[in-house]
């Protein structure tokens, strides 16, 4: 691995760890609101959606960190091709290359 790739991977790991922490903090806060009589001022449906989004963010970040530790990070889970670093910098938890991601949404 080149020094540039190593530094980019380290930066992506840092980003994923920060995202994991942020989503975890959000989930803790939102869960607390869900236990309050007025739901912390949130509409119950909105609060449920926010909780689900935080949970998904945790799962996405954790999955990417797991793939890093397994050595499969940056490879498309569908076709096995390399996911461009530019895509990973935009979406560090990306599991698919752009063509496979587009096919997933059809």
């Amino acid at each position: 691995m080149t020094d540039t790739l190593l530094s980019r991977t380290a930066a992506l790991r840092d980003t994923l760890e920060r995202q994991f922490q942020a989503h975890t903090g959000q989930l803790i806060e939102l869960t607390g609101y869900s236990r309050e009589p007025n739901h912390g001022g949130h509409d119950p449906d909105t609060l449920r959606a926010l909780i689900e989004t935080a949970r998904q963010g945790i799962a996405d970040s954790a999955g990417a960190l797991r793939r890093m530790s397994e050595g499969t990070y940056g490879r498309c889970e569908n076709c096995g091709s390399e996911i461009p670093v530019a895509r990973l910098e935009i979406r560090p938890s990306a599991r698919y290359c752009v063509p496979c991601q587009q096919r997933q949404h059809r």
Side-chain angles (χ1 to χ4, degrees):
M1 228 186 249
T2 66
D3 288 340
T4 303
L5 186 55
L6 282 173
S7 67
R8 282 181 153 178
T9 301
L12 288 167
R13 179 182 299 281
D14 289 344
T15 298
L16 286 163
E17 288 172 350
R18 282 193 310 274
Q19 287 178 352
F20 182 85
Q21 292 295 332
H23 290 301
T24 300
Q26 252 182 338
L27 182 59
I28 290 167
E29 181 179 5
L30 293 168
T31 301
Y33 291 153
S34 71
R35 294 180 179 141
E36 295 176 7
N38 71 348
H39 302 291
H42 293 281
D43 171 75
D45 291 333
T46 301
L47 188 57
R48 276 191 290 278
L50 290 170
I51 288 171
E52 181 52 37
T53 299
R55 284 182 178 146
Q56 188 62 55
I58 291 168
D60 290 346
S61 302
L65 289 166
R66 178 185 43 76
R67 290 190 302 280
M68 276 186 172
S69 69
E70 294 172 346
T72 60
Y73 182 76
R75 290 256 169 233
C76 177
E77 289 185 8
N78 187 48
C79 70
S81 68
E82 190 171 319
I83 299 171
V85 174
R87 174 163 168 71
L88 294 171
E89 289 174 338
I90 293 167
R91 184 169 170 81
S93 62
R95 296 170 43 205
Y96 304 103
C97 64
V98 171
C100 287
Q101 183 70 52
Q102 289 172 337
R103 281 191 289 275
Q104 291 276 337
H105 288 292
R106 287 186 198 155

